[in-house]
Every structure is written in structure tokens, then in C-alpha cells.
Amino acid sequence: MAIVRTLPSADGDRRRLALDSPVDRTSIGELEVQNSTEVSAAVARARAAQPAWAARDIGERAEILRAAVGVIVRRRAEIAATVREETGKPEAEALGVEIVPACDFLNYWCGRARKDLRTHKQKLHGYLRPFKKLFIQYQPLGVVGVITPWNAPFVLSLNPVVQALLAGNTVVFKPSEVTPRGGEWVAKVLHEAGVPEDVVQVLRGDGETGAALVASEIDKVCFTGSVVTGRKIAAACAERLLPCTLELGGKDAMIVCADADLERAAAGAVYLSMFNTGQVCMSVERIYVVESVADEFIRLVTQKAAEITYGPGDTDMGPLFWDRQMDIVTRHVDDAKQKGAQVVVGGARGDGDGLYFQPTLVVDANHDMQLMTEETFGPIAAVMRVRDEDEAIRLANECKYGLSGSVFTKDAAKARGIAARLTTGSVVHNDAAVIYGVPEAPFGGRKDSGLGHVNGTDALRGFTHAQPVLIDRWQPKRESIWYPYSEKTIQSLDGLIRYGFGNRVLRRLLS
């Protein structure tokens, strides 16, 4: 429901939005925007439901949520149909971008929950070890607010919601008004699996509803979306010392080294720039190719880009999901042409009423162009020739974003070396974007691309407070450092310093 129009309010209170298809602009429904009173009521219900949900054994919570995998499998055609109606994306992308990773995330996190969240003993160092024992236990935060985007409405809602629920929180989440029903499927699936109604609730609305959620009595915000909105959320959370995770925009660079497999690199450049119509935060938006292989690389990319089919029906590429993206994509391509870039393939809006933009290859790009410095979020492969890998690294780092990046080379050691020099949240060898689908990998951006991480070994713990509990081993009447101080106190402390830390051998034993 990518074309959103405001409608007259029926009762003077709730605002209404008209939702039109990005494929042909036909009406596909309306959306009533929930107000701040309704948001507060949902959060209050979540607050009341949270203690009982947290009191369940971790394994019981995981068993309930794991049942959602079976629900998704049974209802995959319905979920995919809803996502396709809202976005126009091809069936292969509805299944591959939304359904497959959703099942995988659910299965993985449910399998990890007991291990990651159980109370565990932490070994103490040095002189404390004989006297104390340390335990770490993970307390749920309470009510988590989740706000999710329109480019992958089902999976990008499901992943953080499931993590928060497994950790013992209740969740109130708001999908984008651009794709509301794709996000609503997350609540439907989880409720059908057995998650109580008030434990996970979905809000319907736009930015005002999201702002009301952030301002409500929640205990953490998990947001995926634009930098502009992310900054506002960060400021609001700072006022209340409210923890937040922000996964924001990207301008991911792809470096093509002189020793790259050019056939694979060219195929990757096209697909990784254009799948999901280029509307992926980890999409390849800048391609730096070493001069010695640039001609052959561009020839291969030109050939592959020209073969992409787009438009309604059974094609490789669907429309842009949101009408506002059409203006941004068009502006970036026009700016590049005016500043000397060559559009080798595509470069214009498609025919008809839908939000189609041609698969596009731009060469001779440079950093004077918006196409190489601002997030485009469209089906554009933008190529810049560079002298060598050092120049590619320098240019890749000359960006306000730092979400992810990719290095195409036959030498894995070289890829790791280049990755170490890139100021970006993650790096992928001979691929890109897939990193979000690797739940073991911490995913988060640097610079303007965000704050904190989703996924990774600490993902579930990120929705908890890690509470250390220090246990006394021997329970003496008093500690040696307690009042009253005496000469013996001074001698004991001085001896620890002189003989414990002053002796290299003992210093190692105390570490």
C-alpha cells in the first residue's frame, strides 16, 4: 500500500489514510490511524501482561514461539500475497526476502534462547576468587516498542519482536503505514502460535502513532528506518534515558579488486544493487572497480543489467514501493547525468501508472554526485573507476553512512585486510546484503547508519538487563576493609600492593 493519501476524518478524531497499489495505483484499502490515547492503552495492557509472560520458563516461551514457524509455513501463500499486494515485489522476493529468513530467524532464536538467557556463573579474577562468587542473570526490560519499515515489512518486524518476546518482554509494534498489513501478519502468526493477545500487539498508524509509542511508558525502543526519524527517536529517548536500538540508512560500497572473479562480481553488482527494487538498507549503492579490470567489468554489468525484466506480472523486478522514492531516484540519476556520468542502461521511469523505474547502470560516477553520496534506495548500479584498492578504500570511507560493505576478490585474506580498513558495520566477501540474514553476526551501523546491534550472540540479551549477583562464599562477620580501620588494615592493603601487584609472577596469578 505504497501510495498513501490522507482522507477526511469520519468522526473528527481518528485520521484515515487511503492506500493505493504501487503496481497500478488502484485502491487496495484504507487505514485508520490510532491516536495517543489508544497507544497508551495498548502499552498499559502490555505492562499488565508482562509479569506472567516473563514468569514462564524460557523453554516454554521458546516452544510457543517455535510453533510460529509451522504457522508461517502453512500460511506462507497468504503472507506472500499480502506483501505482494502492498509492495508489488515478485513472488521470488516475497518468499526469499520475507518468508525464508523469517522461518530461519524464528527457528534459530528459539534454539538459542535457553543458552543465551540462562543465569550463569562468571569466573572471578585474582584475589576476589577465594572470597566471592559471581552470577549473571538476565532480567527482561518490560515493554518494548518496535517500529519497522516498509521495504521488508514482515521479516523486519518479526525478527526484533521475536527476540524481545523470548527475552521475557511484551511488545507493542508499529509497522509502516506504507505496508501495514504485511507487518500485521507478525501479530497474527504469533497469536495463532499461542502468544497471548496482550503480550504482542500491533498498532496501525503513521509517524504520529510512532511518536506516541516512543513517548509512552515503554522500556526500550527498537527502530528501523530513516536517519531523520532515527535522530528524533534518539533525542526523545535521551530525554528519558531510555535505551534504543537504531538501524538506519546505508550507502553501501562494493569494491571490485583486480583479482576478482569478474563474472561473479558483475552478476553480484547487478543483483545486489537491484533486488527488492534496490530498496534494501544494505543494497550496493556505490561500486568502486580497479581501473585495470574496469572495462571488462562494465561490459559484463551492462550485459546483465540489460537482461533484467521489470514491470507487472512474472518479471525479475517490481515497482518502487513508495511514491516518494520515485522523486529521489529520478533526482539522483538526473543529477549524475548533469555532472558528467553516463547512463548505459535504463535511467528513466517505466511506462504506465505504476511506480516502475528501469533497471539502471550509471558509469563514470564520482563523489560530486548525489548518486554516490546520498542514499538512493532504487534499482541503480553506480560505477566509479579507481586507480587501485587503496583509493577504493579511501572513497568507500568518504561517506556519512557506514552500514555494510562488500569486497570482491579471489583472496580471502585480502578481503579481511580490506575489511579491517573500512569504517562500516559489517563487510561481506564476494556477496552483500546477506549479512542481516546471518543471525550469528552482530548487525549494526556506524556513523549515520545507526546505534547498537540486532542479531549476534548478544541479541537476546540486548532486550534484558544483565544483573550481576555477587555471592559471599564464607559469610564472615565482617570484611577486612570494614570499620574500624587499624594498623593491621593498612599493613594488609600495603602487603597486597607490594607483594601481589609488585611481583610479576603473582601479578599474573591475580589477573
Side-chain angles (χ1 to χ4, degrees):
M1 300 178 180
I3 303 172
V4 181
R5 295 178 289 109
T6 301
L7 295 173
S9 177
D11 56 12
D13 182 23
R14 276 192 175 186
R15 292 185 297 109
R16 292 188 303 139
L17 304 175
L19 307 166
D20 299 334
S21 167
V23 174
D24 55 13
R25 294 182 179 267
T26 58
S27 175
I28 49 177
E30 296 181 3
L31 178 70
E32 283 195 338
V33 175
Q34 290 182 274
N35 57 36
S36 59
T37 300
E38 292 168 306
V39 172
S40 295
V43 172
R45 291 192 297 272
R47 178 73 62 195
Q50 193 271 331
W53 178 250
R56 296 179 187 237
D57 180 74
I58 297 170
E60 183 183 355
R61 295 198 297 266
E63 184 178 358
I64 293 170
L65 288 163
R66 196 191 292 273
V69 178
V71 178
I72 295 173
V73 171
R74 290 194 304 272
R75 307 195 70 175
R76 64 190 182 279
E78 298 169 81
I79 299 169
T82 300
V83 170
R84 294 189 70 196
E85 183 182 44
E86 292 186 327
T87 65
K89 66 174 68 179
E91 185 175 7
E93 290 179 355
L95 295 174
V97 174
E98 305 275 4
I99 306 298
V100 171
C103 291
D104 189 48
F105 281 138
L106 261 170
N107 198 49
Y108 178 82
W109 295 125
C110 290
R112 291 288 308 182
R114 187 179 292 279
K115 180 178 180 181
D116 289 351
L117 296 172
R118 70 169 182 255
T119 298
H120 63 92
K121 185 177 179 181
Q122 183 71 40
K123 185 178 179 181
L124 288 172
H125 77 288
Y127 72 93
L128 287 174
R129 193 180 304 147
F131 306 106
K132 306 289 184 181
K133 293 185 290 186
L134 177 62
F135 294 87
I136 310 295
Q137 51 197 32
Y138 298 94
Q139 298 177 326
L141 298 174
V143 181
V144 175
V146 177
I147 302 173
T148 55
W150 44 263
N151 58 323
F154 182 67
V155 70
L156 292 184
S157 296
L158 179 134
N159 193 33
V161 167
V162 165
Q163 292 178 25
L165 291 174
L166 283 169
N169 304 284
T170 51
V171 176
V172 180
F173 75 101
K174 190 200 81 69
S176 170
E177 72 275 19
V178 178
T179 52
R181 296 196 176 109
E184 286 175 11
W185 264 109
V186 171
K188 292 179 184 178
V189 163
L190 294 175
H191 290 155
E192 188 171 330
V195 178
E197 293 282 332
D198 289 345
V199 169
V200 59
Q201 299 172 70
V202 59
L203 299 173
R204 299 167 183 84
D206 56 10
E208 289 187 16
T209 310
L213 178 59
V214 173
S216 69
E217 294 301 315
I218 56 177
D219 300 292
K220 180 174 181 174
V221 176
C222 185
F223 172 76
T224 304
S226 71
V227 176
V228 172
T229 303
R231 289 185 185 278
K232 293 177 182 177
I233 290 173
C237 289
E239 285 287 329
R240 299 166 53 197
L241 298 180
L242 191 68
C244 62
T245 300
L246 308 174
E247 196 272 277
L248 309 178
K251 191 70 184 174
D252 288 4
M254 170 179 170
I255 295 175
V256 182
C257 300
D259 68 340
D261 178 336
L262 294 184
E263 183 69 30
R264 178 179 176 87
V270 172
Y271 178 76
L272 298 166
S273 298
M274 300 184 192
F275 86 99
N276 217 48
T277 324
Q279 297 163 124
V280 180
C281 55
M282 305 89 69
S283 175
V284 169
E285 295 222 355
R286 301 176 287 151
I287 303 170
Y288 302 102
V289 56
V290 172
E291 180 65 49
S292 61
V293 295
D295 287 344
E296 178 62 10
F297 174 77
I298 290 171
R299 184 188 72 79
L300 290 168
V301 173
T302 301
Q303 173 189 321
K304 296 177 188 302
E307 293 171 351
I308 297 174
T309 60
Y310 76 102
D314 188 18
T315 59
D316 296 324
M317 199 174 79
L320 295 167
F321 305 164
W322 197 22
D323 52 340
R324 297 183 191 179
Q325 281 305 120
M326 183 64 74
D327 296 335
I328 295 170
V329 174
T330 302
R331 172 166 54 83
H332 285 190
V333 172
D334 288 347
D335 174 75
K337 288 192 292 187
Q338 291 168 9
K339 293 174 179 175
Q342 294 184 3
V343 177
V344 179
V345 177
R349 183 170 183 160
D351 297 331
D353 294 329
L355 300 179
Y356 291 97
F357 197 92
Q358 297 171 341
T360 298
L361 170 60
V362 176
V363 301
D364 298 332
N366 61 59
H367 279 212
D368 292 332
M369 303 169 184
Q370 296 170 349
L371 194 60
M372 295 295 283
T373 56
E374 298 180 14
E375 187 174 37
T376 304
F377 231 54
I380 317 295
V383 180
M384 180 175 179
R385 298 169 182 260
V386 293
R387 180 179 59 257
D388 52 26
E389 292 152 10
D390 287 337
E391 185 180 23
I393 294 166
R394 178 179 63 79
L395 291 168
N397 286 333
E398 282 184 5
C399 184
K400 61 184 177 181
Y401 296 103
L403 188 57
S404 191
S406 56
V407 180
F408 280 71
T409 172
K410 295 176 183 176
D411 186 341
K414 179 191 287 187
R416 293 178 63 186
I418 291 174
R421 297 169 63 190
L422 292 174
T423 311
T424 186
S426 57
V427 177
V428 182
H429 177 215
N430 291 343
D431 201 347
V434 69
I435 193 69
Y436 183 83
V438 180
E440 296 89 344
F443 183 80
R446 302 183 67 178
K447 298 186 277 191
D448 280 3
S449 287
L451 180 68
H453 290 92
V454 296
N455 297 346
T457 54
D458 290 329
L460 301 181
R461 294 175 182 176
F463 289 98
T464 69
H465 170 71
Q467 183 189 56
V469 180
L470 195 62
I471 300 297
D472 189 2
R473 282 184 180 272
W474 307 113
Q475 303 183 43
K477 295 296 184 182
R478 61 185 292 277
E479 295 292 323
S480 61
I481 191 67
W482 289 2
Y483 295 137
Y485 295 149
S486 66
E487 184 62 30
K488 184 178 179 181
T489 306
I490 302 300
Q491 290 175 357
S492 296
L493 293 172
D494 188 63
L496 174 63
I497 297 168
R498 289 174 60 196
Y499 302 114
F501 295 105
N503 183 292
R504 290 186 179 182
V505 175
L506 289 177
R507 194 184 308 159
R508 289 192 177 187
L509 292 175
L510 291 172
S511 63

